[in-house]
Amino acid sequence: MKKITLLTILLYPLFSIAQQGTITGKVVDTLEKRVLSLAVVSFLNSSDSTLEAFTRTDQDGNFSKNIPAGSYIVLVSFPNYADFVYPLEVSNRDIDLKKISLIPRAKLMESIIITQQAIRIKGDTTEYMADSFRVKPNATVEDLLKELPGIQVDKQGKITAQGQVVQKILVDGDEFFSDDPTIATRNLQADAIRKVQVFDKKSDQSAFTGIDDGNTQKAINLELKDNAMRGYFGKLSAGGLDRYYNLQAMINAFKAKRKLAAFGITSSTSETGLDWTNAGNYGFNSNNMSVDASTGSININSKSGEDLGSGSYAGTGLPESLKAGLHYSNNWNSGKYDLATNYLFNNLKVRNRINDFSQIALLDSVFYNQEITELQSNRLRHNLTARMEIQLDSSSSMVIDGNGHAGNEEYSSNSDNFNFSETHQVVNTSNRMQQSKNTNGAESVNILYRKKLKRPGQTFSLNLSQNYSQIDEDGYLYNLSLFYDEDGALFSKDTTDQKKENSLNKQSYDANATYTQPLSISSFLVFSYDLGINNAQREQLSYNKNGANKYDLLVDSLSNKFKYHFITNTAGINYRFLTRKANLSFGGSISNTTFRQEDLFMDTSRRYSYLNFFPQAQLLYKFNSFTNINFSYNGYTTQPAIDQIQPLVDNSDPLNLLVGNPDLKQSFTHSAQLIFSNFQVLNERYLRIGGRFSLTQNEITTSYNIDQAGRRVSQYVNTDGNYSAQVFGVLSSKIPKSDWRLGTGPVLAFYRYSSFVNGLNNITNTANLAWRIKLDNHKQKSHDFTFVVQPSYRSSKSTISKVAKNGYWGSTFSMDGSVQLPLKFEIGTDFDFEIREKTAAFNSTNNVLLWNAYLEKRFLKNESLAFRVSIHDILDQGKGYARYEYEGAVQERRYLTFGQYGLISLTYNFVNRGGKSPESTGGVSVF
């Protein structure tokens, strides 16, 4: 026993050395960049904060210390400086912490209190301390977001943060009426918010394993103040005049982790409170085209009835809406069970009139199209979502997500279509009437099981999901087409009178297993396997009338029944390396897809098999706590949709026929992004600039042929060489010795789109160039002013046509301001002035100046009751107008929109938070 003890004592120093690491670094002043000698560097055990070791810096500010392997908290202290705290894992290797910058306490307090700056960057999360940004009494969250550097909110409530559209709004981490983020931003009060956190929301599995699988969404989390989580608060608003009305109500009853909320909105104005995340999906126009207002890019989809979205008002037409919802969330048993549920009801009616005029490129010539459409739509939907998180034990948990909706839609339109030659000679005309009704529904269930194994960083996850959707649609199509010869004489007529019966059934199942294996403290491997099964069945039937005037003669050439079935097996491996400054991951997966396509009418089938590689790489490098650069690359495939491969003619517009292509291949996209971020605390400057680039091989595009009669037949095809590139950025800085803040940055986009026109490959190059300048001034209890100028230039060139060249300058000017007057009066106004240059295709500018104003009087001690008189479009110049380019064509659109009207409204903000509201001193809450 003595020999063993003696041997242990003799070998212990060698054993200790083998299990120790040498920690070195240098401590400096962050402002004057001078070294700090005799600073205390302590190493605390992370488990119980006991002191393991400490040292002091030498005369050059350097330090070095050997400590045993383990988990520690490094604490650096120096008189009159803020402490530096940093978590550290020590193994049997040396670690150089390099320069550690300390901030003087006086400067730190000045930056928080005097300058009222409250922006923090934690990894990929940007935090805004809400009380440090001045807003008027009873302001909403949307009002608050407009004040935050790097965040923009448009008139529809759509939020763009750090160059990306925000897709999720969370309240204390829970989805709050996730179907419609504006419910939270336009109804929750700004003074109930402690923090606004902007981040990239990862999938549940990525958040658990620490591996980014590329499935991220730009999200905002609203963290509530403690006093907002006691009692209740809400808003009641009623306004109307003549035929316009707007009624809103919302109540929130929060108690600790329990949240209970209800709202209702009914309106005949643009304040519908409807979902901006799906804007453009509603199908307001006959050719089912959606436009990205920020870039001018256009997506054209077949009118397949596959849209089972929430129903949205995209700003065109005159809406009448009713929307209501309930939210409940809570957790029990010390957080072991966490439940969040939402129910939403939505009924949206839209009446619209659209006048489209297009210039379309041909070889060394152009032709023109004009279409005038009157349409009405009515959509009703019920939606229910639920999410349950269960902490099974200290190492395992389960998340269950459920979502379902059911609804119906009615749609009717009457269109007059005219095609002209380059000499403006009429080639053909048509009158088309359409009616349709559908019922639709969908449900999905997702179960995620997560388990932490014995070794730190060793985990196992299993994700199971199931999705189902169904739509059944009946409709009628009547079309009369007239065709003219070169002399303008009528030579042919064509009549279509049919009944349409369409149905679509889709279901999918997916199982994904992920295992993480640590290789060391700073690196690990991730293994994954995924099995996906997808089935879809589409039936499209067209009937002509018989002699008895009944629709029972099946049109074989326009009818089909297809099944679509594919199985995907995917295996992947990724490597991740982590240090204090760098986060590197790379790897990929191999996928095999077997595909079977069945034509049930013809009793034929086709089989395909694809083998794909999906590469992935990401590097996040932190220069310091406030500066980082992030690079990411992903490769992925896109399968053709069932409508695109179904070899069937869509004759919903007989002058513009659309044909599926059973020979379509899947596309593969390379996507890369580079973003640089910097925030300087002491001078309140925020910079974020970056770019994205994507290149698609075998992209599914269109080929169209135009015959002598002016009839266009389009078909889906694969093309190569399509790319898009964007450059975006924002630099926001407070102007010294003033209350003004200046923000500026580029919005640049370039597109290359390949298609075929009459058998010729047509390359369309589009550039949308803009620069945004924003200047705002806010003074509490005095005034709020925001000025925005955004000059732009758009161009589009087609390779097959030397005639169709379109480029024009434009600019938008906007001002939004309010002034606080004596006796609790407030006057406010805003205007938007949009200027467009004339072009060869469009010889009018169609400049628009939209000016609105209001006068408000607030009552009661806390100004919670407001009476407002407002007028919309004072100059009566409002007109719906848009201009954009796509596929070798340029189009001008006029649509029905609101004109001049007035509104008298009364709004009451109520609150009972179970205690005195916090007082504000210099933008910092004092409790």
Side-chain angles (χ1 to χ4, degrees):
M1 184 68 179
K2 291 182 180 180
K3 291 182 179 179
I4 296 175
T5 304
L6 180 61
L7 182 62
T8 303
I9 293 173
L10 292 174
L11 293 179
Y12 180 77
L14 297 176
F15 178 80
S16 298
I17 293 172
Q19 299 298 317
Q20 284 188 343
T22 301
I23 315 301
T24 59
K26 186 172 186 175
V27 181
V28 299
D29 182 331
T30 190
L31 292 181
E32 300 177 6
K33 305 300 181 184
R34 65 185 180 91
V35 298
L36 298 179
S37 60
L38 299 179
V40 178
V41 183
S42 305
F43 299 88
L44 310 178
N45 288 300
S46 60
S47 58
D48 55 8
S49 298
T50 57
L51 180 66
E52 175 68 28
F54 78 96
T55 186
R56 288 183 180 272
T57 57
D58 60 21
Q59 62 182 3
D60 296 322
N62 298 313
F63 69 89
S64 178
K65 187 68 177 178
N66 294 326
I67 60 173
S71 299
Y72 297 93
I73 298 173
V74 181
L75 175 64
V76 182
S77 303
F78 193 80
N80 299 320
Y81 282 76
D83 293 340
F84 174 89
V85 180
Y86 180 74
L88 184 67
E89 293 287 339
V90 178
S91 60
N92 58 346
R93 62 184 180 88
D94 297 341
I95 299 175
D96 185 5
L97 297 179
K98 298 184 179 179
K99 285 187 179 181
I100 297 176
S101 302
L102 300 188
I103 301 175
R105 293 183 187 274
K107 291 294 182 182
L108 183 65
M109 293 300 293
E110 178 183 278
S111 69
I112 295 176
I113 297 178
I114 298 177
T115 67
Q116 304 171 28
Q117 180 57 53
I119 304 177
R120 302 174 184 174
I121 299 176
K122 299 180 178 180
D124 63 351
T125 300
T126 303
E127 285 189 348
Y128 302 87
M129 304 301 293
D131 277 344
S132 295
F133 297 90
R134 297 173 178 174
V135 292
K136 62 185 178 182
N138 298 297
T140 65
V141 169
E142 184 173 292
D143 297 325
L144 172 63
L145 294 179
K146 292 178 180 179
E147 310 307 319
L148 306 183
I151 297 181
Q152 300 171 6
V153 185
D154 68 12
K155 290 186 176 181
Q156 284 73 44
K158 177 180 176 182
I159 304 169
T160 303
Q162 301 164 355
Q164 299 181 57
V165 174
V166 175
Q167 298 171 294
K168 289 285 185 183
I169 297 290
L170 309 177
V171 177
D172 275 348
D174 293 327
E175 292 191 2
F176 190 75
F177 298 116
S178 59
D179 185 74
D180 186 356
T182 58
I183 297 303
T185 58
R186 290 181 171 174
N187 290 278
L188 292 181
Q189 296 175 352
D191 65 358
I193 308 302
R194 179 195 303 277
K195 295 180 184 177
V196 176
Q197 298 169 321
V198 180
F199 63 103
D200 292 319
K201 186 179 185 298
K202 299 179 181 179
S203 65
D204 293 315
Q205 190 163 319
S206 294
F208 174 69
T209 62
I211 301 302
D212 187 355
D213 58 9
N215 297 320
T216 61
Q217 294 178 312
K218 184 62 70 176
I220 287 179
N221 181 52
L222 305 173
E223 183 178 305
L224 297 173
K225 296 177 180 177
D226 291 338
N227 69 334
M229 300 176 67
R230 300 190 300 269
Y232 59 86
F233 63 94
K235 181 175 75 172
L236 299 173
S237 180
L241 190 65
D242 194 15
R243 66 182 184 275
Y244 294 99
Y245 60 89
N246 191 330
L247 306 175
Q248 299 184 25
M250 186 174 194
I251 183 170
N252 306 273
F254 296 165
K255 184 178 181 181
K257 290 294 183 178
R258 189 211 69 189
K259 302 184 187 72
L260 182 63
F263 79 91
I265 300 173
T266 180
S267 176
S268 65
T269 72
S270 59
E271 298 296 323
T272 57
L274 294 174
D275 181 11
W276 44 256
T277 61
N278 291 321
N281 290 341
Y282 191 68
F284 291 107
N285 52 72
S286 58
N287 62 0
N288 211 28
M289 178 167 57
S290 61
V291 184
D292 185 336
S294 62
T295 64
S297 63
I298 295 177
N299 295 315
I300 300 180
N301 305 300
S302 63
K303 189 173 175 58
S304 62
E306 288 192 50
D307 172 30
L308 300 179
S310 63
S312 58
Y313 173 62
T316 63
L318 300 180
E320 285 189 76
S321 67
L322 172 62
K323 190 162 190 177
L326 294 170
H327 169 87
Y328 175 79
S329 61
N330 205 348
N331 65 44
W332 301 271
N333 198 5
S334 301
K336 184 176 181 180
Y337 302 98
D338 195 316
L339 173 68
T341 61
N342 290 292
Y343 165 75
L344 285 166
F345 170 80
N346 180 18
N347 186 204
L348 174 65
K349 300 177 182 179
V350 178
R351 177 173 59 89
N352 204 358
R353 177 181 173 88
I354 298 174
N355 188 340
D356 283 329
F357 185 80
S358 304
Q359 180 195 69
I360 302 172
L362 295 177
L363 182 60
D364 292 327
S365 66
V366 296
F367 81 95
Y368 302 96
N369 171 264
Q370 182 176 18
E371 184 172 31
I372 303 170
T373 303
E374 298 268 1
L375 61 87
Q376 293 186 1
S377 59
N378 184 6
R379 173 176 286 189
L380 182 145
R381 174 176 163 173
H382 301 269
N383 188 87
L384 180 65
T385 63
R387 179 183 177 91
M388 171 67 82
E389 297 188 35
I390 305 172
Q391 192 68 38
L392 300 175
D393 53 42
S394 60
S395 65
S396 61
S397 63
M398 181 179 293
V399 180
I400 303 173
D401 282 295
N403 181 24
H405 76 255
N408 57 71
E409 180 183 3
E410 296 182 7
Y411 173 90
S412 65
S413 68
N414 190 337
S415 300
D416 291 305
N417 196 307
F418 307 89
N419 284 316
F420 304 90
S421 68
E422 188 172 358
T423 60
H424 295 279
Q425 176 69 47
V426 176
V427 177
N428 59 55
T429 67
S430 73
N431 174 254
R432 184 175 72 255
M433 290 180 288
Q434 290 177 280
Q435 292 180 343
S436 67
K437 294 182 180 180
N438 74 55
T439 58
N440 58 75
E443 57 86 10
S444 65
V445 177
N446 189 85
I447 301 173
L448 174 62
Y449 171 76
R450 302 175 291 195
K451 175 70 175 178
K452 294 182 178 179
L453 304 178
K454 292 183 178 180
R455 187 176 174 183
Q458 191 178 32
T459 67
F460 173 77
S461 302
L462 178 63
N463 194 90
L464 304 174
S465 63
Q466 176 267 331
N467 295 273
Y468 174 81
S469 65
Q470 172 74 37
I471 182 168
D472 295 293
E473 183 178 63
D474 293 329
Y476 296 90
L477 167 66
Y478 177 83
N479 181 83
L480 173 62
S481 297
L482 305 178
F483 300 90
Y484 301 86
D485 61 21
E486 294 180 356
D487 297 323
L490 177 67
F491 72 87
S492 178
K493 293 183 180 181
D494 182 56
T495 302
T496 302
D497 188 0
Q498 294 175 344
K499 179 181 179 181
K500 304 286 187 178
E501 294 181 0
N502 300 321
S503 67
L504 175 65
N505 180 301
K506 296 193 296 185
Q507 48 191 318
S508 65
Y509 306 90
D510 190 85
N512 180 279
T514 302
Y515 172 74
T516 64
Q517 175 62 44
L519 302 178
S520 66
I521 294 177
S522 58
S523 64
F524 53 87
L525 290 174
V526 181
F527 302 90
S528 64
Y529 171 74
D530 184 274
L531 171 64
I533 301 174
N534 288 267
N535 298 293
Q537 181 170 302
R538 179 66 189 270
E539 185 176 59
Q540 293 179 282
L541 305 176
S542 296
Y543 296 93
N544 285 333
K545 284 183 178 180
N546 62 14
N549 212 33
K550 292 183 178 180
Y551 295 97
D552 62 1
L553 299 178
L554 184 67
V555 183
D556 292 338
S557 62
L558 300 176
S559 302
N560 212 327
K561 187 174 182 179
F562 247 69
K563 274 190 176 181
Y564 175 93
H565 175 78
F566 67 86
I567 299 176
T568 302
N569 288 273
T570 305
I573 182 171
N574 279 271
Y575 172 78
R576 172 154 291 193
F577 177 74
L578 300 171
T579 67
R580 186 171 67 91
K581 286 183 173 291
N583 183 338
L584 170 67
S585 69
F586 61 86
S589 58
I590 297 176
S591 174
N592 176 257
T593 300
T594 58
F595 176 83
R596 187 174 75 251
Q597 172 185 323
E598 297 182 56
D599 186 337
L600 301 182
F601 270 22
M602 304 298 294
D603 194 24
T604 60
S605 66
R606 305 178 68 172
R607 295 177 181 272
Y608 307 86
S609 181
Y610 303 112
L611 184 65
N612 293 298
F613 174 63
F614 301 89
Q616 176 271 331
Q618 183 176 27
L619 173 63
L620 172 64
Y621 186 81
K622 299 179 181 179
F623 297 95
N624 52 51
S625 299
F626 308 110
T627 307
N628 67 72
I629 189 168
N630 192 339
F631 170 79
S632 63
Y633 164 79
N634 285 282
Y636 58 91
T637 62
T638 302
Q639 304 285 345
I642 188 170
D643 271 3
Q644 295 172 329
I645 62 171
Q646 195 169 0
L648 189 68
V649 177
D650 179 359
N651 72 329
S652 55
D653 181 357
L655 293 182
N656 294 279
L657 303 177
L658 182 62
V659 185
N661 182 0
D663 296 322
L664 281 180
K665 301 176 183 178
Q666 61 181 356
S667 65
F668 188 90
T669 300
H670 305 268
S671 178
Q673 176 175 271
L674 180 66
I675 298 177
F676 174 80
S677 298
N678 171 262
F679 178 67
Q680 297 187 11
V681 180
L682 298 180
N683 62 11
E684 300 186 53
R685 189 176 71 186
Y686 175 81
L687 171 66
R688 187 177 178 90
I689 188 166
R692 302 187 191 96
F693 179 82
S694 65
L695 173 67
T696 303
Q697 299 166 303
N698 285 324
E699 183 167 8
I700 300 173
T701 61
T702 57
S703 168
Y704 64 84
N705 287 275
I706 300 175
D707 60 25
Q708 293 297 320
R711 184 187 292 109
R712 181 167 58 175
V713 180
S714 302
Q715 185 177 38
Y716 295 107
V717 295
N718 293 109
T719 61
D720 284 323
N722 298 320
Y723 68 79
S724 67
Q726 294 97 33
V727 176
F728 54 86
V730 58
L731 170 62
S732 178
S733 179
K734 186 175 180 181
I735 299 176
K737 299 180 181 180
S738 75
D739 292 325
W740 290 92
R741 174 173 287 277
L742 176 65
T744 185
V747 184
L748 313 177
F750 307 88
Y751 303 91
R752 183 185 189 272
Y753 189 85
S754 176
S755 60
F756 288 87
V757 178
N758 287 356
L760 298 175
N761 187 209
N762 180 39
I763 306 298
T764 302
N765 291 290
T766 301
N768 298 324
L769 313 177
W771 195 281
R772 182 181 177 87
I773 303 171
K774 179 181 178 182
L775 188 66
D776 53 62
N777 184 302
H778 308 281
K779 190 171 183 180
Q780 196 172 23
K781 298 182 180 181
S782 175
H783 60 263
D784 295 278
F785 293 111
T786 301
F787 301 90
V788 177
V789 179
Q790 184 166 310
S792 63
Y793 179 78
R794 293 189 176 185
S795 68
S796 178
K797 294 183 180 180
S798 168
T799 58
I800 70 165
S801 176
K802 307 302 180 183
V803 179
K805 293 182 179 179
N806 293 284
Y808 61 92
W809 289 93
S811 187
T812 58
F813 303 86
S814 65
M815 189 278 286
D816 189 349
S818 63
V819 177
Q820 307 296 319
L821 302 175
L823 303 177
K824 299 181 181 179
F825 276 95
E826 177 183 318
I827 186 171
T829 186
D830 67 88
F831 71 81
D832 290 282
F833 185 34
E834 189 165 0
I835 301 172
R836 303 174 186 86
E837 185 185 11
K838 296 179 182 180
T839 69
F842 309 119
N843 57 10
S844 62
T845 58
N846 285 291
N847 299 332
V848 176
L849 175 59
L850 185 63
W851 179 25
N852 310 312
Y854 70 87
L855 177 65
E856 182 177 275
K857 164 68 175 176
R858 294 184 294 274
F859 300 90
L860 305 181
K861 183 178 179 180
N862 57 0
E863 303 184 12
S864 58
L865 181 66
F867 175 78
R868 175 179 290 200
V869 178
S870 60
I871 183 168
H872 179 273
D873 191 11
I874 296 174
L875 302 179
D876 199 20
Q877 290 190 7
K879 51 186 175 182
Y881 180 84
R883 186 190 290 172
Y884 33 75
E885 308 80 27
Y886 67 99
E887 288 187 42
V890 60
Q891 186 171 36
E892 182 180 69
R893 166 164 295 179
R894 295 177 175 85
Y895 53 84
L896 190 63
T897 188
F898 293 97
Q900 187 182 76
Y901 70 89
L903 211 63
I904 299 175
S905 59
L906 191 66
T907 301
Y908 176 60
N909 291 278
F910 57 90
V911 58
N912 183 348
R913 294 178 180 161
K916 185 179 179 181
S917 298
E919 297 177 356
S920 180
T921 303
V924 178
S925 293
V926 180
F927 293 88

